[in-house]
Amino acid sequence: MQDWEELLSQAGYRVTEPRRWVMRLLLESTAPLSPQALFEAGRARQARLGLVTVYRTLALFEELGLVHRVHLQEDCHGYLPTSPGHRHFLICQHCGSAVEFPGSEDLEGLIATIEAQTGYRVAGHLLQLLGLCPACQGM
Amino acid sequence: MQDWEELLSQAGYRVTEPRRWVMRLLLESTAPLSPQALFEAGRARQARLGLVTVYRTLALFEELGLVHRVHLQEDCHGYLPTSPGHRHFLICQHCGSAVEFPGSEDLEGLIATIEAQTGYRVAGHLLQLLGLCPACQGM
DNA sequence: CCCTTATTGATAAGTTTTTTCAATAATGAG
DNA sequence: CTCATTATTGAAAAAACTTATCAATAAGGG
Ligand SMILES: [Mn+2]
Ligand SMILES: [Mn+2]
Ligand SMILES: [Zn+2]
Ligand SMILES: [Zn+2]
């Protein structure tokens, strides 16, 4: 995502310094970041950025599809910048670095089976993979 | 899970009144419950049960595989009782009722693809489906 | 530029989760 | 069955996290 500023404007929002910081910090990180982590990373770099703004910005970005929230074991969740559309993430359980991949519809078969068995109608899903990134495999 | 008491003992933990309450309340609920919700449900029934104990009990149960934490949009997460082993959940987005299903390895193909594309090695995953339960479909 | 108004952030309020520690109750030994 | 040991509980307090307020600031259109 690089023309996120365009998208923001288009949607009627202003492109501000704090919002630029949040996006920059997210893009520079290889791992998901929590609001607190973003705030501290920003503060460490003299960014003009308040914690409250981080929360608001993440909520806005999420709404616009610019970031996704991922669930972690300890911290509960963090945010990752993302391309628009249906995405999934694969997160390294050692160093936290994440990669996204498009939501290919490989779940069709599984979903059909489950629908038949349960009577539920499936409308969406949450899928995250975890494992080891190339760098962390030699350990 | 009905011989969870056995499992607790076996693992060296005591079978206590508060722990019985937590498990009972979870088993009686069709939807995931948060610690706060469990506490209130217990209190409403004169259970001897403190909020702190609910947190500790859920952590223990999770460790023993007696419950799983599921992620929701608003509350972040709640707990569901579960059979041991690899499970997934399908949650109604209208009423919250959930059903579990065994983790059939339908992801094999997807995982192989992703591993080849990213160089990561996949060790596990988080999969949740959401949709509408039979009762909520006519609305 | 200047005006309008969305946005920010310090502070405070509200939630959620964890820590402490004395009192309690579960379990095994006798 | 009774007692002693010790894991467990829960009230209270601390810590961490999230949301609400509102005066000051700065984006962006005119
Ligand atoms: Mn979560
Ligand atoms: Mn699975
Ligand atoms: Zn790694
Ligand atoms: Zn339903």
Side-chain angles (χ1 to χ4, degrees), chain B residues 14 16 19 48-50 53 56:
Chain B
R14 294 182 180 176
T16 69
R19 283 172 181 165
R48 179 164 75 74
L49 187 60
T53 299
R56 283 187 292 226

mmCIF file of all heavy atoms in Angstrom, chain B residues 14 16 19 48-50 53 56, chain D residues 5-12:
data_model
loop_
_atom_site.group_PDB
_atom_site.id
_atom_site.type_symbol
_atom_site.label_atom_id
_atom_site.label_comp_id
_atom_site.label_asym_id
_atom_site.label_seq_id
_atom_site.Cartn_x
_atom_site.Cartn_y
_atom_site.Cartn_z
ATOM 1 N N ARG B 14 -6.331 -29.622 41.824
ATOM 2 C CA ARG B 14 -7.470 -29.993 42.648
ATOM 3 C C ARG B 14 -8.789 -29.671 41.963
ATOM 4 O O ARG B 14 -8.896 -28.700 41.223
ATOM 5 C CB ARG B 14 -7.410 -29.245 43.981
ATOM 6 C CG ARG B 14 -6.204 -29.683 44.806
ATOM 7 C CD ARG B 14 -6.175 -28.984 46.133
ATOM 8 N NE ARG B 14 -5.010 -29.438 46.904
ATOM 9 C CZ ARG B 14 -4.674 -28.936 48.088
ATOM 10 N NH1 ARG B 14 -5.413 -27.982 48.642
ATOM 11 N NH2 ARG B 14 -3.617 -29.379 48.717
ATOM 12 N N THR B 16 -12.014 -28.170 42.389
ATOM 13 C CA THR B 16 -12.623 -27.256 43.362
ATOM 14 C C THR B 16 -13.991 -26.770 42.903
ATOM 15 O O THR B 16 -14.350 -26.882 41.737
ATOM 16 C CB THR B 16 -11.734 -26.031 43.571
ATOM 17 O OG1 THR B 16 -11.748 -25.261 42.368
ATOM 18 C CG2 THR B 16 -10.328 -26.436 43.911
ATOM 19 N N ARG B 19 -13.844 -24.095 40.157
ATOM 20 C CA ARG B 19 -13.497 -24.678 38.855
ATOM 21 C C ARG B 19 -14.690 -25.423 38.274
ATOM 22 O O ARG B 19 -14.927 -25.399 37.068
ATOM 23 C CB ARG B 19 -12.282 -25.609 39.009
ATOM 24 C CG ARG B 19 -10.983 -24.839 39.137
ATOM 25 C CD ARG B 19 -9.782 -25.715 39.474
ATOM 26 N NE ARG B 19 -8.586 -24.885 39.595
ATOM 27 C CZ ARG B 19 -7.455 -25.290 40.156
ATOM 28 N NH1 ARG B 19 -7.335 -26.514 40.646
ATOM 29 N NH2 ARG B 19 -6.420 -24.464 40.229
ATOM 30 N N ARG B 48 -20.088 -19.692 44.345
ATOM 31 C CA ARG B 48 -18.915 -19.198 45.044
ATOM 32 C C ARG B 48 -17.842 -19.063 43.968
ATOM 33 O O ARG B 48 -17.336 -20.064 43.449
ATOM 34 C CB ARG B 48 -18.469 -20.209 46.117
ATOM 35 C CG ARG B 48 -17.233 -19.771 46.870
ATOM 36 C CD ARG B 48 -17.044 -20.579 48.155
ATOM 37 N NE ARG B 48 -16.556 -21.931 47.899
ATOM 38 C CZ ARG B 48 -15.301 -22.216 47.548
ATOM 39 N NH1 ARG B 48 -14.432 -21.258 47.384
ATOM 40 N NH2 ARG B 48 -14.921 -23.456 47.366
ATOM 41 N N LEU B 49 -17.567 -17.858 43.579
ATOM 42 C CA LEU B 49 -16.723 -17.646 42.415
ATOM 43 C C LEU B 49 -16.268 -16.194 42.329
ATOM 44 O O LEU B 49 -17.074 -15.277 42.241
ATOM 45 C CB LEU B 49 -17.543 -17.987 41.161
ATOM 46 C CG LEU B 49 -16.827 -17.998 39.824
ATOM 47 C CD1 LEU B 49 -15.700 -19.013 39.828
ATOM 48 C CD2 LEU B 49 -17.827 -18.329 38.719
ATOM 49 N N GLY B 50 -14.969 -15.987 42.367
ATOM 50 C CA GLY B 50 -14.428 -14.640 42.248
ATOM 51 C C GLY B 50 -13.931 -14.393 40.831
ATOM 52 O O GLY B 50 -13.575 -15.329 40.112
ATOM 53 N N THR B 53 -10.485 -15.667 40.116
ATOM 54 C CA THR B 53 -10.461 -17.119 39.942
ATOM 55 C C THR B 53 -10.908 -17.509 38.541
ATOM 56 O O THR B 53 -10.409 -18.465 37.958
ATOM 57 C CB THR B 53 -11.364 -17.797 40.993
ATOM 58 O OG1 THR B 53 -10.853 -17.483 42.277
ATOM 59 C CG2 THR B 53 -11.377 -19.295 40.802
ATOM 60 N N ARG B 56 -7.925 -17.129 36.368
ATOM 61 C CA ARG B 56 -6.948 -18.185 36.599
ATOM 62 C C ARG B 56 -7.438 -19.521 36.082
ATOM 63 O O ARG B 56 -6.682 -20.303 35.503
ATOM 64 C CB ARG B 56 -6.636 -18.279 38.090
ATOM 65 C CG ARG B 56 -5.717 -17.165 38.545
ATOM 66 C CD ARG B 56 -5.278 -17.376 39.971
ATOM 67 N NE ARG B 56 -6.371 -17.220 40.908
ATOM 68 C CZ ARG B 56 -6.299 -16.521 42.041
ATOM 69 N NH1 ARG B 56 -5.179 -15.923 42.377
ATOM 70 N NH2 ARG B 56 -7.332 -16.437 42.839
ATOM 71 P P DT D 5 1.810 -30.276 59.220
ATOM 72 O OP1 DT D 5 3.226 -30.602 59.444
ATOM 73 O OP2 DT D 5 1.208 -29.064 59.816
ATOM 74 O "O5'" DT D 5 1.586 -30.246 57.643
ATOM 75 C "C5'" DT D 5 1.746 -31.465 56.908
ATOM 76 C "C4'" DT D 5 1.437 -31.202 55.439
ATOM 77 O "O4'" DT D 5 0.018 -31.002 55.244
ATOM 78 C "C3'" DT D 5 2.122 -29.966 54.857
ATOM 79 O "O3'" DT D 5 2.660 -30.333 53.603
ATOM 80 C "C2'" DT D 5 1.017 -28.933 54.751
ATOM 81 C "C1'" DT D 5 -0.197 -29.814 54.496
ATOM 82 N N1 DT D 5 -1.515 -29.267 54.917
ATOM 83 C C2 DT D 5 -2.599 -29.505 54.107
ATOM 84 O O2 DT D 5 -2.529 -30.113 53.064
ATOM 85 N N3 DT D 5 -3.775 -28.987 54.587
ATOM 86 C C4 DT D 5 -3.973 -28.274 55.750
ATOM 87 O O4 DT D 5 -5.085 -27.881 56.065
ATOM 88 C C5 DT D 5 -2.786 -28.066 56.552
ATOM 89 C C7 DT D 5 -2.880 -27.301 57.830
ATOM 90 C C6 DT D 5 -1.621 -28.567 56.102
ATOM 91 P P DT D 6 3.608 -29.331 52.803
ATOM 92 O OP1 DT D 6 4.536 -30.169 52.020
ATOM 93 O OP2 DT D 6 4.109 -28.302 53.730
ATOM 94 O "O5'" DT D 6 2.615 -28.651 51.777
ATOM 95 C "C5'" DT D 6 1.831 -29.488 50.925
ATOM 96 C "C4'" DT D 6 0.800 -28.647 50.208
ATOM 97 O "O4'" DT D 6 -0.279 -28.278 51.094
ATOM 98 C "C3'" DT D 6 1.351 -27.325 49.663
ATOM 99 O "O3'" DT D 6 0.687 -27.074 48.446
ATOM 100 C "C2'" DT D 6 0.890 -26.314 50.686
ATOM 101 C "C1'" DT D 6 -0.495 -26.890 50.940
ATOM 102 N N1 DT D 6 -1.228 -26.392 52.119
ATOM 103 C C2 DT D 6 -2.583 -26.414 52.063
ATOM 104 O O2 DT D 6 -3.204 -26.829 51.107
ATOM 105 N N3 DT D 6 -3.202 -25.918 53.176
ATOM 106 C C4 DT D 6 -2.611 -25.420 54.314
ATOM 107 O O4 DT D 6 -3.287 -25.006 55.236
ATOM 108 C C5 DT D 6 -1.166 -25.437 54.300
ATOM 109 C C7 DT D 6 -0.422 -24.925 55.480
ATOM 110 C C6 DT D 6 -0.552 -25.909 53.221
ATOM 111 P P DA D 7 1.532 -26.663 47.145
ATOM 112 O OP1 DA D 7 2.435 -27.764 46.783
ATOM 113 O OP2 DA D 7 2.050 -25.309 47.382
ATOM 114 O "O5'" DA D 7 0.372 -26.600 46.049
ATOM 115 C "C5'" DA D 7 -0.356 -27.783 45.777
ATOM 116 C "C4'" DA D 7 -1.811 -27.446 45.581
ATOM 117 O "O4'" DA D 7 -2.370 -26.913 46.806
ATOM 118 C "C3'" DA D 7 -2.074 -26.398 44.503
ATOM 119 O "O3'" DA D 7 -3.251 -26.790 43.823
ATOM 120 C "C2'" DA D 7 -2.258 -25.107 45.298
ATOM 121 C "C1'" DA D 7 -2.896 -25.610 46.587
ATOM 122 N N9 DA D 7 -2.608 -24.830 47.789
ATOM 123 C C8 DA D 7 -1.386 -24.434 48.241
ATOM 124 N N7 DA D 7 -1.431 -23.765 49.384
ATOM 125 C C5 DA D 7 -2.773 -23.731 49.693
ATOM 126 C C6 DA D 7 -3.485 -23.179 50.772
ATOM 127 N N6 DA D 7 -2.904 -22.530 51.787
ATOM 128 N N1 DA D 7 -4.817 -23.322 50.776
ATOM 129 C C2 DA D 7 -5.406 -23.980 49.761
ATOM 130 N N3 DA D 7 -4.846 -24.549 48.690
ATOM 131 C C4 DA D 7 -3.517 -24.382 48.713
ATOM 132 P P DT D 8 -3.830 -25.940 42.652
ATOM 133 O OP1 DT D 8 -4.610 -26.851 41.793
ATOM 134 O OP2 DT D 8 -2.734 -25.125 42.087
ATOM 135 O "O5'" DT D 8 -4.848 -24.969 43.397
ATOM 136 C "C5'" DT D 8 -5.955 -25.551 44.067
ATOM 137 C "C4'" DT D 8 -6.801 -24.454 44.671
ATOM 138 O "O4'" DT D 8 -6.114 -23.858 45.787
ATOM 139 C "C3'" DT D 8 -7.149 -23.299 43.717
ATOM 140 O "O3'" DT D 8 -8.562 -23.242 43.633
ATOM 141 C "C2'" DT D 8 -6.552 -22.062 44.387
ATOM 142 C "C1'" DT D 8 -6.455 -22.500 45.843
ATOM 143 N N1 DT D 8 -5.431 -21.828 46.673
ATOM 144 C C2 DT D 8 -5.826 -21.210 47.838
ATOM 145 O O2 DT D 8 -6.984 -21.161 48.210
ATOM 146 N N3 DT D 8 -4.807 -20.623 48.551
ATOM 147 C C4 DT D 8 -3.463 -20.610 48.233
ATOM 148 O O4 DT D 8 -2.649 -20.065 48.965
ATOM 149 C C5 DT D 8 -3.115 -21.279 47.000
ATOM 150 C C7 DT D 8 -1.686 -21.313 46.557
ATOM 151 C C6 DT D 8 -4.100 -21.850 46.292
ATOM 152 P P DT D 9 -9.278 -22.200 42.680
ATOM 153 O OP1 DT D 9 -10.432 -22.893 42.094
ATOM 154 O OP2 DT D 9 -8.272 -21.577 41.820
ATOM 155 O "O5'" DT D 9 -9.794 -21.125 43.720
ATOM 156 C "C5'" DT D 9 -10.613 -21.556 44.794
ATOM 157 C "C4'" DT D 9 -10.797 -20.421 45.773
ATOM 158 O "O4'" DT D 9 -9.511 -20.091 46.345
ATOM 159 C "C3'" DT D 9 -11.346 -19.147 45.147
ATOM 160 O "O3'" DT D 9 -12.561 -18.809 45.798
ATOM 161 C "C2'" DT D 9 -10.250 -18.098 45.403
ATOM 162 C "C1'" DT D 9 -9.453 -18.704 46.545
ATOM 163 N N1 DT D 9 -8.014 -18.359 46.601
ATOM 164 C C2 DT D 9 -7.517 -17.717 47.721
ATOM 165 O O2 DT D 9 -8.216 -17.392 48.662
ATOM 166 N N3 DT D 9 -6.166 -17.468 47.695
ATOM 167 C C4 DT D 9 -5.279 -17.790 46.687
ATOM 168 O O4 DT D 9 -4.095 -17.519 46.782
ATOM 169 C C5 DT D 9 -5.865 -18.454 45.542
ATOM 170 C C7 DT D 9 -4.992 -18.846 44.385
ATOM 171 C C6 DT D 9 -7.183 -18.698 45.558
ATOM 172 P P DG D 10 -13.606 -17.879 45.036
ATOM 173 O OP1 DG D 10 -14.963 -18.244 45.508
ATOM 174 O OP2 DG D 10 -13.300 -17.868 43.597
ATOM 175 O "O5'" DG D 10 -13.236 -16.465 45.640
ATOM 176 C "C5'" DG D 10 -13.411 -16.253 47.028
ATOM 177 C "C4'" DG D 10 -12.882 -14.890 47.384
ATOM 178 O "O4'" DG D 10 -11.436 -14.909 47.339
ATOM 179 C "C3'" DG D 10 -13.292 -13.785 46.399
ATOM 180 O "O3'" DG D 10 -13.403 -12.571 47.143
ATOM 181 C "C2'" DG D 10 -12.102 -13.690 45.476
ATOM 182 C "C1'" DG D 10 -10.982 -13.873 46.481
ATOM 183 N N9 DG D 10 -9.710 -14.271 45.913
ATOM 184 C C8 DG D 10 -9.481 -14.880 44.711
ATOM 185 N N7 DG D 10 -8.215 -15.117 44.483
ATOM 186 C C5 DG D 10 -7.575 -14.631 45.625
ATOM 187 C C6 DG D 10 -6.206 -14.604 45.957
ATOM 188 O O6 DG D 10 -5.242 -15.025 45.300
ATOM 189 N N1 DG D 10 -5.981 -14.026 47.194
ATOM 190 C C2 DG D 10 -6.965 -13.527 48.026
ATOM 191 N N2 DG D 10 -6.559 -13.001 49.172
ATOM 192 N N3 DG D 10 -8.255 -13.554 47.717
ATOM 193 C C4 DG D 10 -8.487 -14.112 46.511
ATOM 194 P P DA D 11 -14.720 -11.727 47.001
ATOM 195 O OP1 DA D 11 -15.850 -12.439 47.612
ATOM 196 O OP2 DA D 11 -14.803 -11.241 45.612
ATOM 197 O "O5'" DA D 11 -14.307 -10.500 47.955
ATOM 198 C "C5'" DA D 11 -13.808 -10.783 49.268
ATOM 199 C "C4'" DA D 11 -12.813 -9.708 49.658
ATOM 200 O "O4'" DA D 11 -11.489 -10.069 49.172
ATOM 201 C "C3'" DA D 11 -13.110 -8.323 49.111
ATOM 202 O "O3'" DA D 11 -12.884 -7.363 50.131
ATOM 203 C "C2'" DA D 11 -12.146 -8.159 47.948
ATOM 204 C "C1'" DA D 11 -10.957 -9.036 48.369
ATOM 205 N N9 DA D 11 -10.282 -9.691 47.240
ATOM 206 C C8 DA D 11 -10.871 -10.241 46.138
ATOM 207 N N7 DA D 11 -10.020 -10.781 45.298
ATOM 208 C C5 DA D 11 -8.789 -10.596 45.896
ATOM 209 C C6 DA D 11 -7.482 -10.949 45.495
ATOM 210 N N6 DA D 11 -7.207 -11.616 44.375
ATOM 211 N N1 DA D 11 -6.468 -10.608 46.308
ATOM 212 C C2 DA D 11 -6.748 -9.952 47.436
ATOM 213 N N3 DA D 11 -7.941 -9.561 47.925
ATOM 214 C C4 DA D 11 -8.926 -9.920 47.087
ATOM 215 P P DA D 12 -13.118 -5.812 49.793
ATOM 216 O OP1 DA D 12 -13.549 -5.212 51.072
ATOM 217 O OP2 DA D 12 -13.946 -5.650 48.571
ATOM 218 O "O5'" DA D 12 -11.643 -5.324 49.462
ATOM 219 C "C5'" DA D 12 -10.558 -5.745 50.300
ATOM 220 C "C4'" DA D 12 -9.259 -5.200 49.747
ATOM 221 O "O4'" DA D 12 -8.763 -6.078 48.703
ATOM 222 C "C3'" DA D 12 -9.394 -3.816 49.112
ATOM 223 O "O3'" DA D 12 -8.283 -3.019 49.484
ATOM 224 C "C2'" DA D 12 -9.384 -4.116 47.628
ATOM 225 C "C1'" DA D 12 -8.423 -5.298 47.578
ATOM 226 N N9 DA D 12 -8.545 -6.114 46.378
ATOM 227 C C8 DA D 12 -9.683 -6.403 45.673
ATOM 228 N N7 DA D 12 -9.472 -7.154 44.620
ATOM 229 C C5 DA D 12 -8.102 -7.382 44.642
ATOM 230 C C6 DA D 12 -7.251 -8.119 43.799
ATOM 231 N N6 DA D 12 -7.671 -8.770 42.717
ATOM 232 N N1 DA D 12 -5.937 -8.139 44.102
ATOM 233 C C2 DA D 12 -5.508 -7.469 45.182
ATOM 234 N N3 DA D 12 -6.220 -6.748 46.057
ATOM 235 C C4 DA D 12 -7.522 -6.748 45.722
#
